[in-house]
Amino acid sequence: MSNRPFAITLKPGTSLSNLTGTWRNERPVYVDRLPPCNNACPAGENIQGWLFHAESGDYQQAWRVLVENNPLPAVMGRVCYHPCETACNRGLLDESVGINSVERFLGDEAIKRGWKFDRPALVSGKRVLVVGAGPSGLSAAYHLARMGHQVEIQEAGPFAGGMMRFGIPKYRLPREVLDAEVQRILDMGVVLKLNTKVENIEQSMQGFDAAFLAVGAHIAKRAYIPAGDAAHIVDAVSVLRSMEGEDKPMLGRRVVVYGGGNTAIDVARTAKRLGAQEAIIVYRRSREKMPAHDFEVEEALQEGVLIKWLSTIKHADEGSLTVEKMLLDEKGVPQATGEFETMEADSLVLALGQDVDLSLLNGVSGLEIKDGTVQVAVNMMTGHAGIFAGGDMVPSERTVTVAVGHGKKAARHIDAWLKGTAHQPEAKHEIASFDKLNPWYYSDADKTVRPMLDTIRRQTTFDEVQGGLDENTALFEARRCLSCGNCFECDNCYGVCPDNAVIKLGPGKGFEFNYDYCKGCGICMTECPCGAIKMVPEET
Amino acid sequence: MGFQPVKFYQTGTFTVGNRLLTPDERSLQSDKGRSNSINSGHRACQGCGEALGARYAIDAAVAGSHGQLIAANATGCLEVFSTPYPESSWQLPWIHSLFGNAAAVATGIAAAMKVKGKTSVRVVAQGGDGGTTDIGFGCLSGMFERNDDVLYICYDNQGYMNTGVQRSSATPPAARTATTMTVGKEPGNVFGQGKNVPEIAMAHGIPYVATATVADLRDLEYKVRKAMTVHGARYIHIFVPCPLGWGTASNDTIRMARLAKESGTFPVFEAEYGEVTGVLKIRHQIPVEDYLRPQKRFAHLFGEHPHPETIARLQLLADRNIRKYGLLNGHAAAADEANEHLRELRISEGGN
Ligand SMILES: Cc1cc2nc3c(=O)[nH]c(=O)nc-3n(C[C@H](O)[C@H](O)[C@H](O)COP(=O)(O)OP(=O)(O)OC[C@H]3O[C@@H](n4cnc5c(N)ncnc54)[C@H](O)[C@@H]3O)c2cc1C
Ligand SMILES: Cc1ncc(C[n+]2csc(CCOP(=O)(O)OP(=O)(O)O)c2C)c(N)n1
Ligand code: SF4
Ligand code: SF4
Ligand code: SF4
Ligand SMILES: [Mg+2]
């Protein structure tokens, strides 16, 4: 018997013996939600994933995560129309994250530092023919090579790049950048045969186990315009293509471009740089209806390109054009007004879109051609077993990014097909929409604006118009990312739990719930800035 | 504010931790080895702001006293949910006596330590708003007046929650409690004169007085640690939402504290020797209505027979706080900081 007073003869027990987890009717769980940027990227980039490494200044790791999906970041960072930024949640807070500018920074950094792709670890023994060295073909070749397949690209032209070289002008995509990213793919062991036009795919495919076609759309569409013998009419893609050759196109002092897409803008800006005093775009609808992107229209106007809205060209003669004014009806369709005027023009450039040259497919069985494009199944295979296709030649939006995405997707299916299996893409996670976030926690920070070349140099040279970020501004921009739907180790859940029911596992390892004590209050879920915690009903 | 906010690292110092900061720039609560002064298994309600606030504060006080801390606790939720005999959640020497005498008990402990020559041992007293602003008020004022070497922490959940949500002198006007029913012409608690204990503490001229909320961890930790560097009487008043007594969702506890601060309803400041030396600015100002609406204790102000004039009166009280403490311009300041950070980065790059 102790002679201590009764009340302190018993040692105080610990409250740890009281398992408050039994109170719970909902439990928190950690989830990875799909960031809207990733969801919007046509090349399927894991944007939040690579920004995560850029945020800590580990640019090489960021680049490595990026190129798992897209081998052309320096190109993308210049020409992609960045639907990711349109979807970015930060846009609802202040302005979207400058994903595209950080991507370009990483791409340029990789070129500067000479980062290389790893050589494939395994060799499958299979051979795949890729037709066309545009973005889609290059992307497919890269992914197939990573999977261990032997890849040969046959390209009709004298250089690789497709429309990235023969369409997009230098002032938007310097050729050294393109060359460096193409070379890096070839360094993996991909064989590139230039000046090798495939005339008949079944013949060229002999000795290969599968083929990926990505011949693009290069035949300029024509509109019937009555013209005098001496009228100087050319098409936009030929003009842009000849910019890559020795003899620059002769367009004269007054150049009229007919069309309203990005190609029309590019060709007008090119004409301006070639010395045209006036470059005028004639388009039959209004600015709002113009398919060209607004920022491109804006940049063209800044450089002195003129645009004549609501006009169609009725007749072309030597030195002049007859133009009819149009009016939009209530459906937004342009209607003729019967009012005509004459414009001076040394040349008329038609930028009315392109068709696909399908001649290499003549005689191939099982194909389905619709509206001039080759139909493919969800696995990117045409109706002919073993022949896959992607990019501009299949029905889709025609952009470099979509083309790259097709290349990746096709590569995965070709790989499975060669193994006799089918590629099952992982189910998409729930989207980390803005309402899943707690934006309170993010610092206030405005978007970093990329520097632009001064207008005089933009009007007279082919120097790159848009500058890049430097290391510090890129770091700042990366750190504007909200990490939507994916834990970025802010320790909030660990800190805010009134019941100490979150276990911190340490850097890079994340967290675990201790369900012995978690009462299911949901504070951790509400205070997680990025929506990486979800409450689920407890089974009763 | 007194603590150094990190200018721009994604979430800056808003979050508990931040992988982009060095460990010593993060909060104590982000530390894997934090002391967890109040352990798991306590019987506080789901989402209890008081349990959270107590861990935040006492962990910081333990760190500030190098582990040499004794706590005296008034009766109230905090005491009842943490120590049902024979269990205890406390990971430090902890003494309970009565509802109204925590300040006096702490004074006694401090005196005993002094007599024993244990100068490194520090003393904290803690209690609810009832135990502090009502029944313990005399003992507290005496402790201030004598400048006893005690840090007193009040966890303000705006009512006598432990005994079933009765009114205290910290209950806000118009709020419904078990003793201020929503009947009559002016339902809920009366618009009295109020009883601002932080200001009363300041009037005693003690070395340090501060207010804090569970929504601003870095600020709270800074204040407790600062208080531990000072000797004499110190007072910290922490705003701790109570899901049960306020009729709020258990997951909204921190959000409610944030809304109270962002609406100006609860001013967050610090004062030395009776003078205000710093305020935590409002970052994104919201109308008081946004703070009231999610709380069932104010439900009678909305709904079928709303009381817009009562809401307007509560807004006036918040506006007075904003004026008096100069709570605005937080957003502009934060944006400036981000820009300044960018400028500094550029300068460090080489002046371009
Ligand atoms: C002026 C212009 C500007 C543009 N700007 C942008 C932009 O800024 N951003 C953007 O995202 N998109 C832009 N685009 C669209 C983008 O360039 C295309 O969508 C993209 O290049 C399509 O990629 P692809 O691989 O399918 O085809 P392509 O890039 O057209 O490449 C096809 C390749 O196949 C080769 N080829 C064709 N037939 C054969 C054959 N029979 N045998 C062997 N090789 C063959 C061609 O020589 C070519 O190299 C622009 C397009 C144009 C015309
Ligand atoms: C002298 C005395 N009167 C009444 C009580 C009953 N009692 C215990 S706790 C409490 C209310 C506590 O309110 P508060 O201090 O605000 O703490 P909370 O429970 O709200 O955290 C009351 C009235 C008591 N213990 N002693
Ligand atoms: S904030 Fe980051 S993760 Fe979220 S959408 Fe924007 S870039 Fe993606
Ligand atoms: S905050 Fe804690 S108790 Fe509440 S749900 Fe999260 S882990 Fe459970
Ligand atoms: S609160 Fe922070 S640490 Fe916890 S899951 Fe969310 S992002 Fe990760
Ligand atoms: Mg209380």
Side-chain angles (χ1 to χ4, degrees):
Chain A
M1 268 295 277
S2 158
N3 52 11
R4 286 199 285 171
F6 170 74
I8 47 174
T9 51
L10 295 170
K11 267 201 175 160
T14 160
S15 63
L16 291 176
S17 60
N18 185 30
L19 301 184
T20 51
T22 54
W23 302 11
R24 194 175 56 234
N25 44 33
E26 275 189 322
R27 65 164 58 197
V29 289
Y30 288 107
V31 290
D32 289 328
R33 289 190 167 110
L34 179 62
C37 53
N38 295 15
N39 186 47
C41 176
E45 283 187 26
N46 180 3
I47 296 162
Q48 177 277 328
W50 57 256
L51 279 172
F52 181 85
H53 296 288
E55 283 150 27
S56 62
D58 189 349
Y59 303 123
Q60 177 159 182
Q61 189 55 27
W63 179 80
R64 295 218 172 266
V65 173
L66 195 168
V67 299
E68 276 172 27
N69 292 296
N70 187 338
L72 305 169
V75 170
M76 289 335 288
R78 290 175 166 83
V79 306
C80 180
Y81 298 120
H82 42 72
C84 54
E85 292 190 22
T86 311
C88 172
N89 272 333
R90 179 132 203 159
L92 296 166
L93 206 59
D94 40 32
E95 277 176 284
S96 59
V97 174
I99 300 169
N100 190 247
S101 35
V102 181
E103 180 170 33
R104 167 169 167 177
F105 169 78
L106 294 175
D108 288 354
E109 196 70 4
I111 295 173
K112 194 161 102 191
R113 312 227 178 259
W115 297 333
K116 296 276 170 220
F117 296 137
D118 300 329
R119 280 226 160 210
L122 61 166
V123 177
S124 71
K126 302 278 185 190
R127 297 187 72 213
V128 183
L129 172 66
V130 171
V131 184
S136 206
L138 288 166
S139 163
Y142 163 76
H143 286 284
L144 288 164
R146 277 178 24 128
M147 294 161 178
H149 305 301
Q150 215 179 315
V151 186
E152 179 171 313
I153 310 179
Q154 297 187 0
E155 163 59 49
F159 299 106
M163 278 300 183
M164 299 187 291
R165 180 180 301 270
F166 295 106
I168 302 175
K170 277 189 185 125
Y171 60 83
R172 292 206 286 122
L173 177 58
R175 300 307 185 235
E176 313 80 75
V177 171
L178 176 60
D179 289 341
E181 295 208 316
V182 171
Q183 190 56 45
R184 200 192 282 128
I185 295 173
L186 301 182
D187 287 347
M188 294 170 83
V190 169
V191 175
L192 171 64
K193 288 200 173 152
L194 295 171
N195 302 308
T196 309
K197 181 164 182 183
V198 171
E199 309 279 358
N200 177 318
I201 183 61
E202 285 182 302
Q203 253 170 37
S204 298
M205 255 183 95
Q206 280 168 19
F208 292 94
D209 299 291
F212 177 64
L213 310 184
V215 297
H218 291 220
I219 307 174
K221 281 193 180 139
R222 284 264 166 180
Y224 175 68
I225 297 172
D229 294 340
H232 184 41
I233 303 181
V234 288
D235 69 75
V237 273
S238 329
V239 169
L240 292 170
R241 182 173 311 136
S242 59
M243 289 301 298
E244 289 300 302
E246 291 295 308
D247 301 314
K248 302 286 177 261
M250 306 286 284
L251 297 170
R253 283 175 42 245
R254 248 182 102 94
V255 182
V256 171
V257 178
Y258 196 24
N262 294 319
T263 307
I265 305 271
D266 275 338
V267 85
R269 292 173 77 181
T270 297
K272 198 80 199 163
R273 284 165 170 80
L274 284 172
Q277 266 160 20
E278 278 183 28
I280 308 165
I281 295 173
V282 173
Y283 179 54
R284 64 198 172 96
R285 295 193 288 179
S286 59
R287 178 160 181 178
E288 301 74 56
K289 302 269 178 202
M290 206 176 191
H293 292 84
D294 216 43
F295 74 91
E296 289 194 291
V297 176
E298 206 46 58
E299 287 178 13
L301 292 172
Q302 285 163 5
E303 289 165 13
V305 169
L306 303 174
I307 306 180
K308 205 170 165 56
W309 311 105
L310 291 164
S311 306
T312 51
I313 297 177
K314 285 285 148 189
H315 203 276
D317 294 293
E318 183 174 8
S320 76
L321 300 170
T322 310
V323 168
E324 181 174 8
K325 277 197 165 173
M326 307 298 275
L327 256 181
L328 292 186
D329 64 17
E330 58 280 6
K331 286 194 192 117
V333 180
Q335 301 293 348
T337 60
E339 272 180 63
F340 296 91
E341 64 180 286
T342 312
M343 285 174 78
E344 267 182 59
D346 296 326
S347 57
L348 171 60
V349 185
L350 301 180
L352 303 167
Q354 291 92 243
D355 289 324
V356 184
D357 179 356
L358 294 168
S359 57
L360 80 165
L361 292 170
N362 285 344
V364 178
S365 61
L367 295 184
E368 191 192 337
I369 313 285
K370 218 161 93 189
D371 302 327
T373 54
V374 179
Q375 307 297 304
V376 286
V378 278
N379 66 354
M380 309 301 290
M381 190 155 80
T382 65
H384 189 96
I387 300 183
F388 296 74
D392 281 4
M393 70 179 294
V394 307
S396 75
E397 205 191 333
R398 289 181 174 176
T399 68
V400 174
T401 327
V402 167
V404 165
H406 283 177
K408 174 178 90 170
K409 193 170 162 198
R412 292 184 176 165
H413 288 290
I414 291 170
D415 179 61
W417 188 80
L418 289 173
K419 290 180 182 138
T421 60
H423 170 66
Q424 279 300 344
E426 272 178 50
K428 271 196 179 186
H429 290 191
E430 179 191 13
I431 297 200
S433 48
F434 191 75
D435 59 288
K436 305 273 187 310
L437 311 182
N438 186 337
W440 164 262
Y441 289 104
Y442 299 104
S443 303
D444 310 72
D446 294 337
K447 190 171 187 160
T448 325
V449 186
R450 286 192 258 198
M452 299 288 272
L453 196 67
D454 56 78
T455 318
I456 298 293
R457 282 165 71 203
R458 280 165 60 182
Q459 287 166 332
T460 52
T461 72
F462 283 86
D463 291 353
E464 190 168 16
V465 169
Q466 193 168 44
L469 301 181
D470 60 29
E471 178 167 350
N472 289 327
T473 45
L475 184 68
F476 181 92
E477 201 50 37
R479 287 175 175 185
R480 293 182 67 243
C481 172
L482 313 176
S483 193
C484 306
N486 291 268
C487 174
F488 60 127
E489 294 184 29
C490 75
D491 292 338
N492 261 14
C493 50
Y494 176 65
V496 300
C497 175
D499 292 279
N500 316 348
V502 176
I503 303 164
K504 178 169 169 168
L505 301 172
K509 301 199 192 98
F511 304 82
E512 258 173 25
F513 290 109
N514 183 345
Y515 294 117
D516 282 348
Y517 299 108
C518 164
K519 292 172 185 160
C521 69
I523 294 184
C524 52
M525 176 269 295
T526 302
E527 300 306 323
C528 173
C530 69
I533 300 174
K534 187 177 178 170
M535 300 301 290
V536 297
E538 206 55 70
E539 277 160 37
T540 41
Chain B
M1 208 61 246
F3 79 104
Q4 190 56 48
V6 169
K7 283 164 189 159
F8 184 71
Y9 285 100
Q10 196 165 32
T11 56
T13 30
F14 293 120
T15 45
V16 169
N18 184 334
R19 70 185 175 101
L20 302 172
L21 299 180
T22 58
D24 61 302
E25 287 175 302
R26 304 179 198 174
S27 76
L28 282 172
Q29 286 300 311
S30 77
D31 187 351
K32 231 178 133 200
R34 72 180 185 214
S35 48
N36 279 341
S37 307
I38 170 163
N39 221 338
S40 303
H42 62 69
R43 293 155 199 255
C45 300
Q46 291 167 316
C48 172
E50 192 166 68
L52 181 62
R55 196 190 72 226
Y56 282 178
I58 302 301
D59 277 3
V62 166
S65 62
H66 311 285
Q68 301 284 294
L69 188 70
I70 300 178
N73 210 130
T75 314
C77 280
L78 181 63
E79 170 261 329
V80 170
F81 70 60
S82 63
T83 51
Y85 184 80
E87 283 169 17
S88 174
S89 298
W90 294 99
Q91 303 300 302
L92 75 166
W94 180 94
I95 296 168
H96 169 245
S97 171
L98 292 173
F99 186 22
N101 67 353
V105 171
T107 294
I109 298 169
M113 290 302 126
K114 196 171 168 191
V115 168
K116 291 185 140 204
K118 294 196 175 177
T119 48
S120 61
V121 178
R122 310 297 304 274
V123 184
V124 65
Q126 50 183 355
D129 50 292
T132 305
T133 73
D134 292 341
I135 191 170
F137 189 62
C139 294
L140 182 67
S141 175
M143 184 199 110
F144 290 161
E145 176 270 323
R146 294 185 302 270
N147 200 24
D148 294 326
D149 190 12
V150 173
L151 166 62
Y152 191 103
I153 301 174
C154 168
Y155 301 102
D156 180 6
N157 55 17
Q158 306 194 320
Y160 289 38
M161 300 315 182
N162 180 48
T163 42
V165 195
Q166 294 86 15
R167 174 197 183 275
S168 82
S169 56
T171 301
R176 183 191 69 190
T177 66
T179 48
T180 55
M181 301 303 278
T182 54
V183 290
K185 258 184 71 192
E186 290 192 352
N189 193 24
V190 290
F191 276 79
Q193 290 305 113
K195 184 168 178 181
N196 190 327
V197 174
E199 286 186 6
I200 296 171
M202 282 165 64
H204 287 77
I206 57 173
Y208 190 67
V209 173
T211 63
T213 82
V214 284
D216 294 285
L217 170 65
R218 304 298 292 261
D219 173 72
L220 188 156
E221 284 188 346
Y222 150 76
K223 284 168 175 168
V224 173
R225 297 197 70 161
K226 175 162 180 185
M228 295 309 290
T229 65
V230 178
H231 285 273
R234 290 143 286 147
Y235 179 74
I236 298 183
H237 190 103
I238 305 178
F239 189 81
V240 290
C242 168
L244 179 87
W246 298 12
T248 49
S250 63
N251 60 315
D252 270 345
T253 298
I254 292 181
R255 186 169 85 96
M256 292 318 302
R258 184 176 301 130
L259 297 180
K261 183 220 147 200
E262 293 294 286
S263 62
T265 302
F266 186 81
V268 181
F269 63 92
E270 61 177 339
E272 290 172 41
Y273 299 102
E275 282 176 45
V276 174
T277 53
V279 299
L280 198 57
K281 300 268 188 192
I282 289 172
R283 205 167 146 227
H284 304 293
Q285 194 186 5
I286 53 148
V288 168
E289 186 176 333
D290 290 4
Y291 163 63
L292 302 175
R293 200 178 273 278
Q295 306 182 45
K296 288 212 185 77
R297 63 177 174 160
F298 294 113
H300 55 280
L301 302 183
F302 303 96
E304 251 181 67
H305 305 286
H307 290 259
E309 69 297 339
T310 309
I311 298 169
R313 281 179 85 181
L314 291 166
Q315 181 68 52
L316 283 178
L317 292 177
D319 292 345
R320 192 171 72 184
N321 286 334
I322 291 170
R323 248 191 346 267
K324 186 165 162 190
Y325 294 99
L327 299 178
L328 285 182
N329 300 327
H331 184 72
D336 281 353
E337 266 164 17
N339 288 331
E340 191 189 318
H341 178 61
L342 189 58
R343 216 171 37 244
E344 274 170 18
L345 283 172
R346 287 213 173 107
I347 290 164
S348 70
E349 162 85 343
N352 49 343

